[in-house]
Amino acid sequence: MRKFAANCLALAVGRRPAPRTLDDLLAALASRQRPDRLRLVVLPEVTKPENLGLTFRAAAAFGFDAILLGSRSCDPLSRRALRVSMGGVLTVPFVRSADLKRDLATLKADWGVELSAAVLDKDAPPLAEARWPSRAAVVFGNEFHGLASDVCSLCDRRWTIPMEPDTDSLNLGVAAGIFLYEMTRPRDAERNRG
């Protein structure tokens, strides 16, 4: 036992934060410099730590306010998710929902958040046409099954990333990066060109 302990390395030691509710998180965000603006990511059921980490990394890179996790999403504080997120898991606030449908309804009714579903559907409008309100959340589906229809039905809009016909889909982490970039990209330059 002593020999084993001498060869072990601790990557980090920390205290897991106490769980908080969506209302607690949103109240804390409301006291910021820009309470009129709210950008959220919703992940009902991300099962791969790599995808979760990539999404947190993109959320940190593009200045998103928080991530709402469904009860079936993997642990953002797992070693793999932490490493892939490059610390994004430690900088982007998150909350795990016990009742995601109720929390999505609360976001819409009480906080004025428009929900957009990221879908793989050739009939959905292309992401480049999206115009985002000041309070917006994008909802991503599971890596294997996409977004559940009952969650998708709660969303106000649906958007897709157009792809070549022979391409099946994008990795969830890659798609999240594209969506989050598009949500924060300035649109004024495009309007001034026309």
Side-chain angles (χ1 to χ4, degrees):
M1 182 69 161
R2 183 175 286 175
K3 188 174 188 178
F4 176 75
N7 293 329
C8 289
L9 262 182
L11 297 176
V13 176
R15 289 181 195 261
R16 187 176 285 269
R20 57 181 165 179
T21 67
L22 179 62
D23 286 332
D24 292 340
L25 174 65
L26 293 173
L29 291 174
S31 65
R32 305 165 308 158
Q33 280 183 312
R34 293 190 59 191
D36 58 315
R37 180 188 165 276
L38 189 60
R39 292 278 190 254
L40 302 171
V41 176
V42 181
L43 304 171
E45 189 182 352
V46 175
T47 59
K48 300 249 180 223
E50 297 84 0
N51 285 328
L52 192 66
L54 284 171
T55 304
F56 267 93
R57 186 174 180 176
F62 298 120
F64 273 67
D65 298 305
I67 293 181
L68 175 61
L69 300 170
S71 61
R72 297 179 66 184
S73 282
C74 59
D75 183 8
L77 297 175
S78 70
R79 182 190 67 81
R80 185 79 174 141
L82 271 166
R83 188 175 76 74
V84 174
S85 79
M86 298 293 290
V89 168
L90 303 175
T91 60
V92 178
F94 66 89
V95 65
R96 185 175 297 277
S97 174
D99 185 342
L100 188 64
K101 290 182 198 171
R102 183 196 67 214
D103 284 343
L104 292 177
T106 297
L107 280 174
K108 289 172 68 167
D110 298 348
W111 294 91
V113 174
E114 181 179 285
L115 302 177
S116 288
V119 296
L120 188 59
D121 181 352
K122 64 180 179 52
D123 295 326
L127 178 60
E129 293 178 6
R131 296 299 176 258
W132 303 96
S134 62
R135 294 177 160 261
V138 61
V139 185
F140 294 97
N142 174 274
E143 297 96 330
F144 305 105
H145 311 293
L147 196 55
S149 59
D150 59 341
V151 174
C152 193
S153 68
L154 296 172
C155 294
D156 303 295
R157 305 198 187 298
R158 298 169 60 227
W159 302 104
T160 194
I161 299 171
M163 292 180 284
E164 293 296 315
D166 294 338
T167 305
D168 176 80
S169 64
L170 291 172
N171 169 281
L172 174 66
V174 172
I178 294 168
F179 260 86
L180 303 190
Y181 168 75
E182 282 291 323
M183 286 181 76
T184 57
R185 188 167 68 91
R187 304 282 182 184
D188 293 336
E190 291 176 3
R191 278 186 243 139
N192 291 336
R193 273 189 240 150

